[in-house]
Amino acid sequence: MLVILLGWAPSTPPPWAAQWCPSIPALLQHDWRDSSGIAVRSVKREPTGTELEQSAGSLLGVPYSWGGNTEGGLDCSGFVNKVYASHGYDLPRTAREQFKVGLDIKKEDLDRGDLIFFTSEPGSTDVTHVAMYLDDGQFIHAARGKGEVSFDALNTTYYKNRYLGGRRVLALPVGRYSTLWGSARPGFFAKTPMELALLPPSTLPPSAEEMPDHRTIEAILTEHDESQKSVLLAHGFVKGAITRVGPDSMIRQATELSMKLGYGRFDNISSLFLMPQFTYFNHANAILASIAVPLQLPMNDGSVADSLRNNWNSVRKASRVIRQVRFGQKEASIYVDLGRTTSGSIGHGHLMRMFTPNFVTQGLPSFPMGTEALPLAMDGYIDQIGGEFFLDDLFDPKVFGILAFGKPWNRPSAPLWLQSTSLGLAYAGDMKAPTSVNIQDPIDISTRTEKVHGMSLSTETKLIKDNTLNLKFYTDLSVLFNGDFGGVGGAPGLLFRSNLGAKHNHLIRAVLEMRFSGAHFIPSYFGANYNIVKNNAPDDRDLDAKKPLLDRLKLLTSNSPRIGFFAMFSYQFYRRVGAGISYDNEWSTSGDTSAKARMGQNLMLFVDVENIMLPKRRSMSFYFAYHLRNFDSLTSLFSKHRDNEFIFASLSVDFNRYFSVSGTLRKALANDRDTTVDGGLNLIVRYEL
């Protein structure tokens, strides 16, 4: 230690260096801040609490990243570091070191801009999390479970039981409070204002004298050890997968009790709705469970008793009490989602792409009685193998898909491109697909159900893979078949994914796919609105004929192979604003443009805005989805009488922690296969536990 005090460091590291911190020689020569990704702004005065809140609010929606300290991803202490650095404060790297800086503040004296600290387990004194207090019991932080920078309440059970204390950094002048190694500079913590007056000036530069014990150096620069990371939490690279494309019913990531009061009109029937709901959310590992008791009160014919009896007279209807059960975050090692708004894709989607079981319902998408199906989606992977599974309805299963994939050539002796190549085998099928075409007996036109099966073999090769960019080339060979027919299709494609921007906050996903289809094959047969078109697949060239999708598949001429393409582009900003478009088309090699020779064009548009902040800490969410199926012309859009056009829209505004209003609009096909436009309004009263 004496030689360090004299300003000299050995040319070779001490024996413990490699074990505890391999980069210690570099740390002896460089400031940790130089490579932190967060620059400290030079200012002449201390900020106000309101100014700190404004800076923190500008980071809302930034993804949570394990150990992150850039706007591409922040952990809890990285978020606090960035906010304070923009106002001239150089704080330590981790929460446990930040806890050692500032004036100790009692919970009842907290003010805007104060730092508040938590532990992972109630009763523990280990500092594991930091946030910035605002007012009225609210704070802002990089929330691990929510996966982004967001607001939370201090008086909730989870945070109240884990609260450790508060620190007022604004009691200190602007200056340097971290050592060269990222720890807290000694002497800048005070229990009382009197002690605060005796602290040394923060303008003195840090020196080697402040070097901590070597056993703590490695811990200083890491908020959490990688081994502590839950398999339920997503990894740093965000793939931007689309997981919902139809009706939307937003469930807040909070443990709360709520009551939804609604009025709606569906197919000329008006109803009032009541729905008491309880939601549990675990902030540590993103586990969410939501249950409700939906009650429908008809305003037209029929009594309340009859309505209750009709809506609760089967196991499937009673299952409406389950709103959502979710384990983990999408793109984590393990992800399970049992929810009313889930969409499912299997592999690259040549068989099943964004299939949304609740695309067609007996009521509005956000109505309590509306979303009947309870879909189940599961993803998981370990090392070089993984799988995906999707089921349309846990209590009335008809359609499901499954994928298994692995990297059989991932061995050192293989070329690099082959090591990165994965092989996948998928199945998708409908056990009760309606049809009125009997190829064996053309005279029989009675409607019945048949099984439809699809299988595919796919390969995927990573051409580019780094922290900001993925580019993959894939191939897919698929078959559709049942007792009456069999068809083959193939597709080579490119998948582009990026976390772009200087701060990696722009998520882009693009797909370009060529398609080759034999007779009796339709690419992405189990598509987004399959639950509508399986009963009636309207077509611009055949609007009067109400044919199930399976009928159209059977009636495709056997001597007319088809070629086509599929393109999709989606964009997300901070995971808060998203937009996307997909389009596909095909042509018959025989030149025949009739409905018997080829399927029409398909177009999908969507816009998804989540928790955009309004003045006075209000927030707004908006969802819009537009689908046009089997079309030949883009005229007469947004027409009630266009059967192959489906529209969903919802808007929700949170006025404060207790009250929200929402509205929904839907244009789709009713049970009698006629087009209907419906709307609804809801008032939500909630109390966070």
Side-chain angles (χ1 to χ4, degrees), residues 637-648:
L637 299 181
F638 300 97
S639 169
K640 178 179 178 181
H641 303 290
R642 189 159 191 169
D643 289 345
N644 57 341
E645 180 184 64
F646 314 120
I647 302 171
F648 298 89

Side-chain angles (χ1 to χ4, degrees), residues 13-28 181 211-222:
W16 46 261
Q19 179 181 358
W20 292 102
C21 187
S23 56
I24 285 179
L27 289 173
L28 291 174
W181 300 275
M211 179 180 176
D213 183 87
H214 68 267
R215 287 185 296 270
T216 65
I217 291 179
E218 186 177 26
I220 286 172
L221 295 176
T222 55

Side-chain angles (χ1 to χ4, degrees), residues 9-79:
S11 58
T12 58
W16 46 261
Q19 179 181 358
W20 292 102
C21 187
S23 56
I24 285 179
L27 289 173
L28 291 174
Q29 303 174 30
H30 302 290
D31 189 339
W32 80 274
R33 179 67 67 177
D34 295 338
S35 58
S36 70
I38 300 177
V40 178
R41 184 183 171 201
S42 177
V43 298
K44 296 181 180 180
R45 64 171 178 84
E46 289 74 39
T48 65
T50 300
E51 290 172 334
L52 285 173
E53 179 179 354
Q54 291 173 345
S55 297
S58 69
L59 299 174
L60 280 168
V62 171
Y64 181 93
S65 178
W66 199 264
N69 55 10
T70 71
E71 286 191 26
L74 294 167
D75 64 8
C76 61
S77 55
F79 164 73

Side-chain angles (χ1 to χ4, degrees), residues 217-279:
I217 291 179
E218 186 177 26
I220 286 172
L221 295 176
T222 55
E223 186 66 75
H224 302 287
D225 186 85
E226 190 68 20
S227 63
Q228 298 175 298
K229 184 174 181 180
S230 170
V231 295
L232 300 179
L233 300 179
H235 289 257
F237 187 91
V238 181
K239 299 177 182 178
I242 301 171
T243 58
R244 57 183 185 182
V245 297
D248 182 46
S249 178
M250 300 169 189
I251 295 177
R252 285 164 37 108
Q253 296 187 116
T255 299
E256 63 180 19
L257 289 171
S258 64
M259 172 67 78
K260 179 185 287 186
L261 311 173
Y263 165 80
R265 188 170 179 82
F266 171 74
D267 201 17
N268 297 320
I269 299 176
S270 298
S271 291
L272 292 175
F273 295 92
L274 299 176
M275 188 172 73
Q277 181 168 319
F278 169 72
T279 300

Side-chain angles (χ1 to χ4, degrees), residues 514-545:
M514 292 296 298
R515 291 174 164 177
F516 305 92
S517 303
H520 308 306
F521 183 86
I522 298 176
S524 300
Y525 181 81
F526 301 100
N529 43 27
Y530 175 74
N531 265 10
I532 290 181
V533 299
K534 67 182 291 185
N535 296 298
N536 175 22
D539 191 303
D540 275 355
R541 299 153 300 171
D542 195 13
L543 286 175
D544 294 330

Side-chain angles (χ1 to χ4, degrees), residues 90-322:
D90 189 333
L91 296 183
R93 171 63 186 94
T94 63
R96 55 183 170 273
E97 294 297 318
Q98 291 171 2
F99 192 59
K100 303 172 184 177
V101 173
L103 175 65
D104 185 29
I105 294 294
K106 295 180 180 179
K107 192 174 185 179
E108 57 269 23
D109 296 329
L110 288 171
D111 201 358
R112 200 185 309 265
D114 290 343
L115 299 186
I116 51 179
F117 296 85
F118 304 89
T119 185
S120 297
E121 298 296 333
S124 172
T125 58
D126 294 334
V127 177
T128 59
H129 189 65
V130 61
M132 193 180 84
Y133 187 80
L134 300 176
D135 60 12
D136 192 29
Q138 286 191 291
F139 60 88
I140 184 171
H141 62 146
R144 187 193 314 176
K146 293 182 178 180
E148 62 184 13
V149 175
S150 65
F151 295 118
D152 269 302
L154 186 55
N155 62 352
T156 59
T157 301
Y158 182 89
Y159 288 108
K160 182 167 56 177
N161 291 342
R162 291 165 173 79
Y163 181 77
L164 289 178
R167 298 290 183 265
R168 182 162 295 164
V169 176
L170 290 183
L172 301 172
V174 169
R176 173 98 190 215
Y177 299 99
S178 73
T179 67
L180 294 174
W181 300 275
S183 61
R185 295 183 67 185
F188 288 101
F189 168 71
K191 294 286 291 184
T192 65
M194 185 176 296
E195 291 181 17
L196 188 69
L198 301 176
L199 296 184
S202 61
T203 54
L204 294 176
S207 68
E209 296 181 16
E210 299 170 346
M211 179 180 176
D213 183 87
H214 68 267
R215 287 185 296 270
T216 65
I217 291 179
E218 186 177 26
I220 286 172
L221 295 176
T222 55
E223 186 66 75
H224 302 287
D225 186 85
E226 190 68 20
S227 63
Q228 298 175 298
K229 184 174 181 180
S230 170
V231 295
L232 300 179
L233 300 179
H235 289 257
F237 187 91
V238 181
K239 299 177 182 178
I242 301 171
T243 58
R244 57 183 185 182
V245 297
D248 182 46
S249 178
M250 300 169 189
I251 295 177
R252 285 164 37 108
Q253 296 187 116
T255 299
E256 63 180 19
L257 289 171
S258 64
M259 172 67 78
K260 179 185 287 186
L261 311 173
Y263 165 80
R265 188 170 179 82
F266 171 74
D267 201 17
N268 297 320
I269 299 176
S270 298
S271 291
L272 292 175
F273 295 92
L274 299 176
M275 188 172 73
Q277 181 168 319
F278 169 72
T279 300
Y280 165 80
F281 179 71
N282 189 310
H283 293 269
N285 53 27
I287 293 177
L288 181 146
S290 182
I291 58 175
V293 182
L295 305 172
Q296 182 180 11
L297 310 176
M299 300 178 64
N300 299 73
D301 296 335
S303 67
V304 173
D306 290 339
S307 174
L308 293 176
R309 187 163 42 251
N310 293 333
N311 285 311
W312 296 89
N313 59 6
S314 70
V315 173
R316 185 169 188 254
K317 291 180 179 180
S319 72
R320 293 190 183 101
V321 298
I322 304 174

